[in-house]
């Protein structure tokens, strides 16, 4: 008996030491990282906020095949971000309120490091939307993903998660917006974002993203996805179809088959049209030709003082009147 007690104490000690120290893989950690019933009924706080900023929403968890919870401003929320068995706290506070101009802070505090919360500030925002997700069932963290918008309809997407070595929380951000994360969220498919590119005109693009140690990354393998992006036009100019460009210079393109494989080359003559359909934002775009054929073009994007978008080595401005947004 004594021996058994000793073993138990040793195990408890090991567990407590391990709590904040590294990529501790809990025994059965990732499939169901958090007790979902804990969070479906009420905000997970013992002392509810005195003045609920909205109805105590807490309709948070929609857990299909991946963990997914929407957060509400002003309501502290518990989830085991570092999967050490102790619930951690996530809260978004509106620290300065204006009609269209708010400052928010999101704070993630691990139970094992109460004196080292990670705070992320958002200033001059219209709004903020946030979720706790499990983007990768096989890593040692849940992901706090949030999106806010501010002046001139600009957006930022940010995330807080554990470092790969499990030692601390980190955050990263990117120029994107998350309009919604559907109830069917899965780490494999990722979540929908809007992002904006200037290839063949300024376009908002919707894309499936997920997060990993390197930041926001394209989610691969989502069902029904024909490429990393599906494009729809940003209404820069008036017009029936402002994304269709009439060529001022002939353009060499690569028609593709239904699998996206190039089948040859074709030259689109001056006066004919191309309409952007897909792009990876950096190396290629798919355009629809006037006869409906889909074709790829090679794209090169240069940055800094030499900013430019080049198609077959030629600045895209030479091919057509390109509708840019400011
Ligand atoms: Ca924890
Ligand atoms: Ca995970």
């Amino acid at each position: 008996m004594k021996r058994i007690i000793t073993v138990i104490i040793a195990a408890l000690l090991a567990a407590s030491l391990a709590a904040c120290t590294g990529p501790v893989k809990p025994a059965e950690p990732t499939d169901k990282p958090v007790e979902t019933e804990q969070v479906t009924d009420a905000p997970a706080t013992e002392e509810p906020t005195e003045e609920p900023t909205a109805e105590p929403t807490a309709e948070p968890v929609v857990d299909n095949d991946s963990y997914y919870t929407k957060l509400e401003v002003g309501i502290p929320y518990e989830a085991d971000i570092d999967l050490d068995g102790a619930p951690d706290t996530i809260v978004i506070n509106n620290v300065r309120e204006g009609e269209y101009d708010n400052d928010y802070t999101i704070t993630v505090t691990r139970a094992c490091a109460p004196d080292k919360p990670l705070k992320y500030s958002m200033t001059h925002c219209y709004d903020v939307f946030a979720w706790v997700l499990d983007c990768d069932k096989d890593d040692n963290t849940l992901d706090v993903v949030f999106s806010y918008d501010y002046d001139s309809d600009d957006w930022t997407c940010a995330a807080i998660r554990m470092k790969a070595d499990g030692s601390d929380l980190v955050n990263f951000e990117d120029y994107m917006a998350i309009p919604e994360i559907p109830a069917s969220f899965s780490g494999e498919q990722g979540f929908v974002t809007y992002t904006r590119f200037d290839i063949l005109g300024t376009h908002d693009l919707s894309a499936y993203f997920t997060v990993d140690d390197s930041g926001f990354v394209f989610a691969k393998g989502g069902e029904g996805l024909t490429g990393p992006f599906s494009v729809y036009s940003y209404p820069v100019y008036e017009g029936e179809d402002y994304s269709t460009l009439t060529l001022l210079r002939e353009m060499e393109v690569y028609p593709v088959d239904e699998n996206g494989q190039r089948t040859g080359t074709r030259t689109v003559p001056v006066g004919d049209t191309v309409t952007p359909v897909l792009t990876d934002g950096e190396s290629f775009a798919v355009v629809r030709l006037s006869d409906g054929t889909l074709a790829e073009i090679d794209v090169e994007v240069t940055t800094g003082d030499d900013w430019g978008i080049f198609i077959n080595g030629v600045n895209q401005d030479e091919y057509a009147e390109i509708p840019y947004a400011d």
Side-chain angles (χ1 to χ4, degrees):
M1 186 66 183
K2 200 169 180 183
R3 179 178 164 76
I4 292 173
I5 290 171
T6 307
V7 169
I8 290 172
I9 289 172
L12 287 173
L13 270 175
S16 66
L17 285 173
C20 253
T21 54
V24 181
K25 191 103 177 173
E28 292 184 24
T30 45
D31 282 341
K32 299 282 180 196
V34 176
E35 299 291 331
T36 52
E37 59 269 36
Q38 282 186 352
V39 291
T40 46
D41 298 327
T45 171
E46 289 176 1
E47 298 183 39
T49 46
E50 288 179 26
E51 298 175 18
T53 51
E55 323 146 6
T57 49
E59 57 179 76
V61 170
V62 182
D63 188 354
N64 291 341
D65 57 346
S66 293
Y67 183 81
Y68 156 73
T69 298
K70 190 172 191 301
L71 306 179
E72 302 297 338
V73 173
I75 300 180
Y77 185 81
E78 289 186 346
D80 189 6
I81 298 297
D82 51 11
L83 303 177
D84 67 353
D88 310 309
T89 306
I90 307 111
V91 61
I92 307 170
N93 288 314
N94 185 334
V95 293
R96 188 183 60 80
E97 193 168 354
E99 192 175 358
Y100 302 108
D101 181 5
N102 297 277
D103 292 350
Y104 296 101
T105 302
I106 186 164
T107 308
V108 179
T109 309
R110 295 164 70 196
C112 66
D115 300 332
K116 286 177 58 188
L118 195 158
K119 282 183 188 282
Y120 182 99
S121 295
M122 297 157 269
T123 57
H124 304 293
C125 303
Y126 298 127
D127 237 331
V128 57
F129 307 97
W131 300 265
V132 178
L133 307 169
D134 190 9
C135 288
D136 178 354
K137 290 181 182 179
D138 297 323
D139 65 12
N140 289 310
T141 180
L142 300 183
D143 311 283
V144 182
V145 176
F146 47 107
S147 177
Y148 55 99
D149 51 355
Y150 43 100
D151 195 26
S152 304
D153 294 328
D154 279 337
W155 322 302
T156 297
C157 231
I160 295 173
R161 70 199 305 277
M162 290 280 295
K163 277 184 181 173
D165 66 5
S167 61
D168 210 348
L169 295 169
V170 287
N171 78 268
F172 48 83
E173 59 183 35
D174 211 332
Y175 178 68
M176 302 188 300
I178 303 178
E180 60 178 331
I181 293 181
S184 62
F185 168 79
S186 75
E188 190 177 280
Q189 175 159 309
F191 45 87
V192 175
T193 69
Y194 293 154
T195 187
R196 187 172 292 176
F197 289 108
D198 290 314
I199 295 171
L200 296 175
T202 302
H203 297 280
D204 284 351
L205 298 98
S206 64
Y208 284 84
F209 270 80
T210 186
V211 294
D212 68 12
D213 289 339
S214 65
F216 291 97
V217 293
F218 292 132
K220 300 286 191 332
E223 225 174 280
L225 300 182
T226 55
F229 289 115
S230 62
V231 99
Y232 60 93
S233 301
Y234 181 67
V236 183
Y237 292 119
E238 298 288 331
E240 184 78 32
D241 190 349
Y242 32 72
S243 64
T244 295
L245 304 173
T246 302
L247 293 184
L248 304 170
R249 173 190 179 113
E250 63 181 28
M251 182 185 283
E252 195 87 1
V253 301
Y254 305 93
V256 293
D257 62 20
E258 62 272 18
N259 299 315
Q261 297 301 309
R262 297 183 179 194
T263 57
T265 60
R266 183 161 150 186
T267 302
V268 184
V270 172
D272 212 341
T273 60
V274 297
T275 306
V277 177
L278 299 172
T279 180
D280 67 346
E282 54 187 22
S283 68
F284 78 92
V286 174
V287 294
R288 181 176 289 108
L289 308 183
S290 58
D291 65 358
T293 301
L294 293 178
E296 270 189 9
I297 54 175
D298 289 326
V299 174
E300 184 188 357
V301 180
T302 56
T303 56
D305 291 341
D306 298 323
W307 185 87
I309 294 168
F310 296 85
I311 298 165
N312 302 329
V314 176
N315 193 301
Q316 67 174 6
D317 289 318
E318 293 190 28
Y319 284 100
E321 295 277 348
I322 305 290
Y324 294 108
D326 57 15

